[in-house]
Each structure stands twice: as structure tokens, then as C-alpha cells.
Amino acid sequence: MTPLLSARDVTKRYGAHIGCAAVSFDLYPGEVLGIVGESGSGKSTLLNCLAGHLAPDGGEVVFDTRAEGPRDTLQMSEPERRMLGRTDWAFVHQHARDGLRMGVSAGGNVGERLMAVGARHYGDIRGKATDWLERVEIDATRVDDRPTTFSGGMQQRLQIARNLVTGPRLVFMDEPTGGLDVSVQARLLDLLRGLVRDMGLSAIIVTHDLAVVRLLADRLMVMKDGHVVETGLTDQVLDDPQHAYSQLLVSSVLQV
Amino acid sequence: MIELHNVSKTFTLHNQGSTEIGVLSDVSLSVAAGECVALVGASGAGKSTLMRMIYGNYLTQAGSIRIGDTEIVGAEPRAVIALRREVLGYVSQFLRVVPRVPTVDVVAEPLRAVGVDADTAKARAEALLSDLNIPESLWSLSPTTFSGGEQQRVNIARGFVHEYPAMLLDEPTASLDAANRDVVLRLIENAKARGAAMIGIFHDEAARARVCDRVVDVSVFTPEQAA
């Protein structure tokens, strides 16, 4: 099986400081990879390098494109990469405001991505947008309301609807449940798990919340100071961590 | 079906003075299809550790663990995930679920994961829940609020809903009343009859005697302290 995404020696420096160093992994279709580590460990830097938001200083990010097979996205032209960002890729930001257009209605936010890939029929776009709002459990009567009138959890779900409406194959998520209270988190996790299974999505999830990765991720990568210190099956890394830092991380979680 | 050769396990606690704790050494064990083997030994002898190693939950440092055609030691995560989805079931003592998911969906999930359609999976889950005496009024609720015994039965239903060729049972009859214990033992007997290879930990001696063909004492594999 061809990996959907292969990272090879992805490196990013901020001057003398290391963002992430020589990170390599393969992500297969339908797989969910969790990246954990404390603040400043380089996990968001890595995610942004993979998603094409930051230019790495070295390495390759090879994506298995629908039309042309595996291609290094870092060598693609900007329009090609942007097209990928609108079709096969999706990016869920930690703060829904970064991923939404706050001055546009909820339906407009979802419909915009459809129009960006060529949808033109108003009725279809509105129908699909309404359908997606319901799938992320936002009442269809709110379709014409702006996201500014939504709660934080609703905004996050709207962001997910906007990202998934075009049927991407790979979703990047940066702390998707960060800043949400636990009941809303649980609802979002349940939703994400269902979507991942039903749509056969692959996802890369960056988070510092180990409970979130246990429920969502198949595989885990533990980062510290820009380096990957341990990788493995999620429950193996969490229940039998091998590296000193992973052991510290796992043992530092407060029991509820 | 389940083959262990010279398997060893040491825990290294890096943050507690790099203490090394040897738990198991040179474990060899073979379980055929249709056979149920009980692991016995005092608390801390490594029964659960061995089960978790077979499940790929704990990393094995040395030796070989084969389930069917799959080698667990050093396997890629996705190979272990595929094995767990299709071949190897595990009934643990603790139920770990996404909050808010209805019980019937929790139980049906392993079937959905192997591609069974939603209606069939739901019907099978409901049949098992009713066999295990979970009142129908609870099926649409999340099991997180259930009593210990109910959670245990939901866990068992989830473990038996898909007919795994190999199964690991960690005290499946603990905290169950006599009637439910009997249902669980019958589930185990049925699984054996269809050819499942099973390894179990049973503190309940009568249950062990009823379903297990052989007993393996794990304490003989304990390094040093072994007599």
C-alpha cells in the first residue's frame, strides 16, 4: 500500500533555534496519527511544515495525489499547493476564528469552500451546507447566522464542517479540542471519530491532551525539543512508554 | 494459534533512578484453536503483563509472539491494529469509551470496524446485551454512568460481538452475579466450540475449572525470585 503522506527528514530552524529536526514518518490511508509533546516541543511547527503553511529548511513531504500519484508538495508550485489545500487537504485550527470567516454566515462559510472547487448552483450549495451543519450538530435554522453569534464549541464544529464539505482525504488538526470545556470536547471527539470512520479519513492531530489521542489516534509520535523521541501504537506508548520523556509525560497526567 | 517463544519483559523507570524491573523471562507458551489456557500466579507475577504483551499493548523486548500469521514483536502499528480488528479480541477489566456514545453502538463498534453493515451489527449487539441481562432501557444510554457490573457486561458484549479467532480474557467473571457469570462462561464455551484460541485470567476457581483446558503458572517465569 502506498502511504498517503510520507515525511522525510523534515527540518525547520528559527535562526539558531530548532523548530523540528529530521522528522520522518509514513501515514497510510485511514490512519490517524497523534503528535504529542509539551508547549514548544515543535509539534505545531511540524504540522505547519507538513500542511504547507511554513516552508521547512529541508526534507520532503510526499503526498499521494489523486491525479499524479506521489509528489513532493514542497516542490509544487504555490497554486498547485493551494489547490491541494482546498480539495484533498483540510486544516482545523485551534482557534475557530483562524479557520472561519467571521463576517460571513455559517452557510456561507461552508459554501465558500464548495465554490472554491467549482460549485456554482446556489440551491445545491445551500443544501449541502445545511446538510453539513446538521452532521456537525448545528441546527439548520442557524444557517444564515454569523459565526460571531455562535458559542466556541459551535464555531469549532462549523470549522470542521467547512473543512470536510469538500471530502478531503487528509485532515490536519491543531489542538482541535483546546479551549473547549469537557462536555463540548466529548461531543466533538465523538463527532470526529464518527467522521474519520465513515469517510475513511486520514488525520494528523497535534495536541497536548493525552486523553484525546487515546480516543482518536491509532499511532502516536512524542516530541521533545524538536525531536521525535518515541513513536508507536497509541496505547503502547501511553501504557508502556520507553523513553524517559514519554514516561514523564504520561506519569504527569492528573487522574480524575 | 497463539505461539510465544522465549518472551521477556523488563520495565525501565527512567525517572525513578533508571530502576530496572524484570517481570518475565523466557516465557514459551502455545495455545491451539479451540483451547482455553488459564494464567495463574500471585498478584504481581505478571499475568496481566503477559496478556498485554500478547495484545501489543506492552512492548516486548525479546522473543517472539505469533498470533496466526502475524508476529507481534517489532510489528508496525498498523499491523497490530489490523490484527486487533480482525483476529485478536481482548476483554479487559475496564471499559474505556468515548463519552456520550450509546451502549448499543459501543458494543456494535467492533463489528462495524470489520465492515458489517449498521443494522446487522446493531441486531447482534442487542442480542448480546439482552443475553447479558442489560435492561433494554439502558441500551441508548452511554455506559459511563453504569454500575461496575453493568460496565463489565457491556465490555464482555463488546469483546464477544465479533467472532475473533483468538481472545484474551482478563477476569471476565469478576464482579458478576451467578446468573451473569453463567452467561459469560457459556459465551466462552461457545467461542471455544467455534475454534477460538483463548488465554484467560480467572480468580474464580470454579469458572477456571469449567472453561479452561490447561493452567500455566506465570510465577515460574519470574526472573531471579523463581524458586
Side-chain angles (χ1 to χ4, degrees):
Chain A
M1 203 179 354
T2 324
L4 187 64
L5 189 81
S6 289
R8 288 284 164 271
D9 294 323
V10 175
T11 303
K12 174 75 186 170
R13 288 182 209 90
Y14 299 107
H17 182 74
I18 293 173
C20 60
V23 177
S24 302
F25 66 87
D26 290 327
L27 182 77
Y28 289 85
E31 224 175 15
V32 179
L33 171 70
I35 305 177
V36 297
E38 59 198 6
S39 305
S41 57
K43 50 193 198 303
S44 293
T45 296
L46 175 62
L47 192 74
N48 283 311
C49 286
L50 295 172
H53 296 173
L54 270 177
D57 297 314
E60 285 180 10
V61 179
V62 178
F63 181 72
D64 187 16
T65 59
R66 277 185 230 228
E68 297 165 64
R71 288 195 57 197
D72 185 357
T73 59
L74 302 176
Q75 303 300 324
M76 281 182 179
S77 66
E78 192 57 29
E80 278 182 299
R81 198 156 51 224
R82 290 182 71 97
M83 192 61 198
L84 206 55
R86 285 199 297 265
T87 53
D88 273 353
W89 286 7
F91 197 103
V92 175
H93 295 264
Q94 173 174 9
H95 302 292
R97 289 169 170 271
D98 297 337
L100 290 174
R101 297 223 294 151
M102 300 305 280
V104 175
S105 71
N109 263 291
V110 180
E112 187 182 45
R113 231 179 107 105
L114 284 170
M115 295 205 290
V117 293
R120 288 294 178 268
H121 186 283
Y122 178 79
D124 288 351
I125 294 171
R126 190 178 169 88
K128 218 164 170 187
T130 314
D131 174 47
W132 264 94
L133 289 184
E134 283 171 349
R135 285 178 74 167
V136 298
E137 301 172 22
I138 295 175
D139 198 297
T141 58
R142 302 294 301 267
V143 64
D144 295 319
D145 294 346
R146 291 184 184 183
T148 39
T149 66
F150 286 7
S151 69
M154 279 169 80
Q155 288 181 5
Q156 195 59 292
R157 279 179 276 137
L158 179 61
Q159 192 195 183
I160 288 166
R162 172 184 163 99
N163 270 287
L164 297 186
V165 67
T166 50
R169 291 190 292 154
L170 175 59
V171 186
F172 300 98
M173 296 191 228
D174 191 359
E175 302 274 8
T177 58
L180 299 177
D181 64 60
V182 283
S183 61
V184 180
Q185 258 192 35
R187 196 166 169 189
L188 196 67
L189 285 175
D190 176 21
L191 177 76
L192 285 173
R193 238 167 88 116
L195 291 171
V196 165
R197 189 188 61 208
D198 297 342
M199 299 174 71
L201 292 175
S202 300
I204 301 180
I205 300 177
V206 160
T207 180
H208 59 258
D209 190 333
L210 299 182
V212 168
V213 288
R214 191 188 278 275
L215 290 175
L216 285 180
D218 301 312
R219 210 143 66 79
L220 213 55
M221 225 157 75
V222 183
M223 290 187 73
K224 176 165 172 54
D225 300 332
H227 295 268
V228 174
V229 296
E230 185 165 350
T231 63
L233 200 64
T234 301
D235 58 290
Q236 183 256 297
V237 173
L238 294 179
D239 294 338
D240 186 19
Q242 305 295 309
H243 188 274
Y245 177 70
S246 332
Q247 291 187 352
L248 184 67
L249 197 68
V250 170
S251 63
S252 303
V253 175
L254 299 176
Q255 300 282 329
V256 182
Chain B
M1 187 66 209
I2 306 175
E3 298 277 343
L4 279 70
H5 284 289
N6 303 103
V7 171
S8 299
K9 175 74 188 164
T10 308
F11 289 107
T12 309
L13 308 177
H14 292 286
N15 299 304
Q16 293 173 49
S18 293
T19 315
E20 295 221 343
I21 303 175
V23 183
L24 294 166
S25 70
D26 271 339
V27 183
S28 294
L29 176 66
S30 164
V31 184
E35 194 181 22
C36 181
V37 171
L39 300 181
V40 297
S43 223
K47 303 184 293 293
S48 293
T49 297
L50 186 60
M51 297 263 263
R52 285 166 167 243
M53 287 160 70
I54 298 170
Y55 198 56
N57 179 221
Y58 282 180
L59 209 65
T60 304
Q61 277 101 355
S64 149
I65 299 175
R66 292 187 72 84
I67 317 284
D69 301 323
T70 310
E71 171 65 55
I72 295 278
V73 182
E76 285 282 314
R78 60 200 192 91
V80 179
I81 290 168
L83 182 83
R84 289 178 181 183
R85 190 171 51 229
E86 313 278 345
V87 181
L88 183 64
Y90 181 47
V91 177
S92 71
Q93 296 180 63
F94 308 103
L95 183 68
R96 193 174 249 143
V97 293
V98 181
R100 237 179 49 122
V101 178
T103 298
V104 62
D105 293 342
V106 167
V107 175
E109 202 195 357
L111 280 179
R112 299 281 290 130
V114 291
V116 174
D117 68 85
D119 292 337
T120 316
K122 195 172 174 212
R124 291 268 292 279
E126 288 174 350
L128 258 175
L129 285 170
S130 105
D131 283 349
L132 284 157
N133 303 312
I134 303 278
E136 193 170 343
S137 55
L138 297 182
W139 295 355
S140 59
L141 306 176
S142 162
T144 41
T145 52
F146 289 7
S147 75
E150 283 164 348
Q151 290 199 5
Q152 171 80 349
R153 280 178 278 150
V154 171
N155 215 5
I156 287 164
R158 186 182 155 89
F160 280 90
V161 73
H162 171 55
E163 299 191 337
Y164 297 101
M167 292 190 73
L168 304 170
L169 312 168
D170 195 346
E171 296 206 44
T173 55
S175 70
L176 294 184
D177 58 51
N180 285 311
R181 179 172 155 275
D182 189 60
V183 175
V184 173
L185 293 178
R186 259 188 291 127
L187 281 174
I188 298 173
E189 284 166 345
N190 291 343
K192 277 173 67 183
R194 65 169 167 79
M198 309 182 116
I199 298 182
I201 300 174
F202 298 87
H203 283 297
D204 174 353
E205 281 178 33
R208 190 196 302 152
R210 179 168 152 191
V211 296
C212 295
D213 306 293
R214 260 191 305 142
V215 169
V216 171
D217 187 353
V218 175
S219 51
V220 302
F221 303 118
T222 310
E224 275 116 70
Q225 300 97 302

